[in-house]
Amino acid sequence: MANAHVQMKPDPCSFIIFGATGDLAHRLVIPALYNLAAANLLPERFCVVGIARKGMASAEMSDSLMRGLRKFATRPVDEAVAKRLFECVTAVEADPSDPASFDAMNERLERLEAARNTGGNRLFYLATPPGAFLPISKQLARTGMLAENGAWRRLVVEKPFGTDLASAKALNTALLKLVDEHQIYRIDHYLGKETVQNILVLRFANGMFEPIWNRNHIDHVQITVDEKLGVGHRGSFYDATGALRDMVPNHLFQLLSLVTMEPPARFDAHAVRTEKAEVLSAIQIQSEQEALYNSVRGQYCRGRVGDTEIEEYLKTPDVRPGSTTETYAALKLTIDNWRWAGVPFYLRTGKALAVKRTEIAIKFKQAPFAMFRDTPVDRLSQNYLVISTEPTEGIELQFNTKVPGPTINIDGVEMKFRYKDYFKAEPSTGYETLIYDCMIGDNILFQRADSVEAGWQAVQPFLDAWKNAGGRGLQPYKAGCEGPEAANALLTRDGRSWRKFG
Ligand code: BG6
């Protein structure tokens, strides 16, 4: 997240993609590189190296990536820019089960670097299934490719980072034996979203929010990430993962930590990431019994989302018969620190729901009623500050106002800020800032080992409790609704309710 006034060109480097023939590279990484090229934000001396199976020629790799760009580009493709980008694509073979191939890869990269004068800086982007992260990193380390001797070496790792606390810890420990923390860029694509980055600006660049941003004024916080799509063709991955693992310790906790962290002393990676890790580690760790009481999990049945008929989850290809994997999760959490003690945080996320909606709704405490006791007003409407990413990017404030007329009649109104009304932004993949930051060596938007582990630690009791409960407590919900009824009960028992959409 470089300051706009000092936006700089990254150092010369090689951008080496493992999994270059896969979906992620075609759909997001290459279109994002293209957008950076179009904005003149790629290094002057640069090359893209696609790690490929045996015998794949550079021209074949480059054609395949070009097809990906044409299909997934977020803006019209300028042929001259694309040509310059794809001219530099080289296919190189490497297979972690064949260590010698990594020695050959290193030699090939050295020759390429000499020809392109990239100075030996290398960014290794692991756009691979998570099982490959460690075997690839081990080979890169063995061949000395991760050693920073006068040139930088960086490793970009996609999600999921572990599948529970133990596996995330093991992966961190193993990786940190091979590379230093400052070389690892753990991606969470939510941090590439403008609205998400804006949370810190909203809180800390305005004097008016921070004084009321605490337990004295905030009643509770709701974080909602609802999706309309079902699981589709991702049955095998999703059935082993579920809504909680897929979304909560990563995406929802990014939102949670930005909303709840203390002000960092400086706007730099160390200070910001330290505060985020600190607040995540203050989430109260629940017992399994508490976790069951404070959560709801659901699985969708057949239904309609808009005009689309969605088949029940259990009929998704590659989903195990009788699977109890949740496609919906709602949790109640608390944060044990001075600022947030006693403030509940309600989180929910699910697939095949009525609307696509990503929002953080901060509900402020009610004003005392006394002053309006003798008026027709029996209930003041709720004061919410809503930060939303989907369906529109913006911020909304709900407050009470007097309805014009001779009596005091009060109604709730909304003040809405929408990004698109103020700023014109080129459509993007959301990966541009993240990739650019990797190249300039700014890891402010990437997850550090401690916050990844703190996230898993907070969700682990829910994972354990649900596993031990098997199918007991799994709530069916109809595709196209707002989620299982029991998710409403999670709030009504506290005298609260989920914010209505719209
Ligand atoms: C991914 C999950 O990380 O995030 C998907 O694996 C989910 O299951 C996606 O659909 C949601 O991202 P977004 O940006 O559409 O909210």
Side-chain angles (χ1 to χ4, degrees), residues 158-276:
E158 276 284 343
K159 111 178 226 287
F161 196 91
T163 52
D164 59 10
L165 178 59
S167 58
K169 274 189 167 168
L171 183 55
N172 272 331
T173 308
L175 278 180
L176 290 167
K177 283 189 183 140
L178 308 173
V179 276
D180 191 79
E181 177 65 49
H182 81 267
Q183 295 173 270
I184 308 178
Y185 290 71
R186 298 175 190 80
I187 286 211
D188 183 312
H189 79 275
Y190 267 48
L191 289 171
K193 296 178 190 267
E194 278 297 335
T195 349
V196 176
Q197 293 169 17
N198 189 39
I199 297 173
L200 290 189
V201 178
L202 175 79
R203 288 188 57 195
F204 303 130
N206 296 297
M208 65 209 194
F209 296 116
E210 208 44 31
I212 53 168
W213 211 263
N214 56 51
R215 63 194 299 274
N216 299 325
H217 301 277
I218 291 178
D219 177 72
H220 74 275
V221 177
Q222 300 179 9
I223 301 183
T224 301
V225 182
D226 285 355
E227 297 184 81
K228 282 165 81 170
L229 294 179
V231 169
H233 63 277
R234 297 168 78 216
S236 156
F237 159 78
Y238 198 86
D239 205 42
T241 305
L244 180 62
R245 282 191 172 89
D246 190 34
M247 300 294 288
V248 177
N250 33 64
H251 306 327
L252 274 82
F253 278 8
Q254 288 303 330
L255 304 178
L256 178 72
S257 59
L258 290 167
V259 164
T260 55
M261 65 189 266
E262 293 301 313
R266 287 169 308 283
F267 187 63
D268 67 24
H270 176 75
V272 170
R273 300 200 304 171
T274 299
E275 293 303 345
K276 285 173 70 180

Side-chain angles (χ1 to χ4, degrees), residues 406-421:
T407 55
I408 293 282
N409 194 4
I410 296 179
D411 203 359
V413 293
E414 291 153 3
M415 242 161 40
K416 287 187 179 172
F417 151 70
R418 274 184 249 127
Y419 268 81
K420 62 176 170 33
D421 295 341

